[in-house]
Amino acid sequence: MNIIEDGGKNPLLIEKHEKYFRLCMQSLPSKAQSEDSNRLSLIYFCLHGLGILGKLNLTDDEKKAYATHVYAHQIIDPSGQFESFRSSQTFQLAVEKGNYDLPNLSATFFALINLLALESDYSAKLDRHKIMNFVSKCQVTEGPNKGAFKPVLDKDGYPFGEVDLRHCYIAASIRKLCKYDELPVCDRINDFNEQDLASFVLERVNFNGGLSSNKFTESHSGLTFCGIATLRLLEYDFTKNIQWVETTKKWLVHRQIDYSSPVYKGQSYSYWMEEDNGSFNGRENKFGDTCYSWWCSASLKVLDPNGLQLINMEKAIGYLLRKTQSPLLGGFGKDSESFPDPFHSFLGLSCLSLYKSCEKYNYEGEENLQEMDETLVITKKSREFLNSHIQF
């Protein structure tokens, strides 16, 4: 039996986290007004955050009302070729200005994932071929970024914006949410090029095993997760490249901060803070951050079912419960000095759930945590709804 030191003094504050997410679903502080353009993602953090806590207790009428709000973000394509979503109602423009109401890749992902949490059968309302037609049009088909994805289509229907491993992950996730991979190949009339996507991701693997969005740039643990999870969604066989997998695991393990105080005692080292011990960083010589606990841990789990045994989970849990969990407001902040926000709150809980699935540490509140699907970053309950109820 594993018991977190001072677990009684640093419990997981279930009730406060529940209140925090419910409050964020109703209103946000004024300093968060600029995040309105990411509204569907904020809804995702709150809905699935409540789901992890086992507190997504909505009536049928509430589920229907919330789902109606999500569906209201759908963009109606005048040509009838595409189905997609906008990020926020702020971008819903008059019909005569519709050329600037651009279909958005990430918004489409968040809309579908939110509807899963609300147990809304979007397969009865949406056309997966039209969704995938939009997604496939976002893929780059030539040049050095061949296989990657851009975030939106411009008014002429061409992919627009920066290429990024995050967009690659989102595109592969939408394909999974539409169950396009389960169709016979001959019926995938609007599928993207899987091989080109996999090749783009693999070309971003650096010498240390981490991934970056551009060749020869610094590895980043968040982008590493996006790349690895994309390959998993494409059913890539990681056993074909054991050397890379082992190198990547080693790099991810070394993202956990465990500086020994005697080593740095009396010395000035600008990238060391003792309170970061147990946390993870995104790159070498960076401070710890709640979200990187998830990106690194989930990457290890995706690569290897036993990958989490390589890190110090006890210290990782201790960091989240003692340093970034807000005992006053609920939720989690970026670090020990930051105000809680929905993004870090969701990923902090996701990480604790991931650790629980490997080994129980018997701190107060742990029993409430629901299992996570580490590839789609949703609760197992939502994944089961996808498997059993989404039938296009």
Side-chain angles (χ1 to χ4, degrees), residues 150-175:
K150 294 188 176 183
V152 299
L153 296 181
D154 66 17
K155 64 184 181 65
D156 297 315
Y158 293 102
F160 176 80
E162 291 184 313
V163 298
D164 196 305
L165 284 173
R166 290 172 293 185
H167 303 140
C168 294
Y169 168 71
I170 285 170
S173 296
I174 293 173
R175 184 173 183 265

Side-chain angles (χ1 to χ4, degrees), residues 4-5 10 277-278 313-324 352:
I4 295 295
E5 183 182 354
N10 295 278
N277 281 354
M313 281 189 279
E314 184 174 350
K315 287 191 174 182
I317 294 169
Y319 171 77
L320 294 172
L321 293 180
R322 300 187 191 112
K323 301 299 182 181
T324 67
L352 292 172

Side-chain angles (χ1 to χ4, degrees), residues 229-241:
T230 297
L231 293 174
R232 174 64 72 196
L233 289 166
L234 297 177
E235 299 183 353
Y236 175 80
D237 183 4
F238 289 102
T239 62
K240 293 192 303 184
N241 202 335

Side-chain angles (χ1 to χ4, degrees), residues 59-271:
T59 66
D60 290 342
D61 287 341
E62 288 174 325
K63 290 178 182 178
K64 185 176 180 179
Y66 285 134
T68 297
H69 178 71
V70 174
Y71 284 119
H73 290 72
Q74 185 177 358
I75 294 176
I76 305 301
D77 174 36
S79 71
Q81 298 180 45
F82 306 126
E83 287 189 5
S84 60
F85 289 79
R86 63 179 68 84
S87 301
S88 168
Q89 295 293 61
T90 301
F91 300 120
Q92 185 173 8
L93 305 176
V95 175
E96 63 272 13
K97 298 179 181 179
N99 283 341
Y100 300 96
D101 192 3
L102 303 179
N104 186 289
L105 200 62
S106 61
T108 302
F109 165 72
F110 286 124
L112 297 178
I113 221 85
N114 287 337
L115 293 170
L116 278 185
L118 295 167
E119 298 182 336
S120 175
D121 180 8
Y122 54 77
S123 61
K125 292 177 176 285
L126 304 174
D127 186 325
R128 62 176 162 183
H129 296 295
K130 291 183 179 181
I131 293 174
M132 286 303 298
N133 191 28
F134 158 63
V135 173
S136 63
K137 293 293 184 184
C138 291
Q139 189 172 33
V140 179
T141 58
E142 58 185 6
N145 293 317
K146 182 180 179 180
F149 286 81
K150 294 188 176 183
V152 299
L153 296 181
D154 66 17
K155 64 184 181 65
D156 297 315
Y158 293 102
F160 176 80
E162 291 184 313
V163 298
D164 196 305
L165 284 173
R166 290 172 293 185
H167 303 140
C168 294
Y169 168 71
I170 285 170
S173 296
I174 293 173
R175 184 173 183 265
K176 176 64 70 174
L177 294 169
C178 289
K179 293 191 170 181
Y180 226 60
D181 57 326
E182 298 180 15
L183 283 172
V185 175
C186 61
D187 293 335
R188 302 175 192 175
I189 58 177
N190 291 320
D191 206 0
F192 56 66
N193 192 310
E194 295 178 73
Q195 186 56 54
D196 285 351
L197 173 55
S199 296
F200 174 83
V201 173
L202 291 169
E203 288 171 358
R204 269 64 195 167
V205 177
N206 287 322
F207 72 95
N208 56 16
L211 279 74
S212 56
S213 268
N214 296 303
K215 294 181 181 179
F216 313 118
T217 55
E218 191 175 14
S219 297
H220 187 281
S221 57
L223 297 174
T224 298
F225 169 83
C226 290
I228 291 171
T230 297
L231 293 174
R232 174 64 72 196
L233 289 166
L234 297 177
E235 299 183 353
Y236 175 80
D237 183 4
F238 289 102
T239 62
K240 293 192 303 184
N241 202 335
I242 293 296
Q243 182 176 355
W244 164 54
V245 169
E246 292 304 313
T247 301
T248 303
K249 286 163 59 178
K250 182 177 180 180
W251 182 77
L252 288 166
V253 167
H254 281 87
R255 301 279 56 74
Q256 186 169 26
I257 298 171
D258 192 13
Y259 300 134
S260 172
S261 55
V263 173
Y264 295 101
K265 187 176 182 180
Q267 300 185 37
S268 175
Y269 182 56
S270 58
Y271 296 106

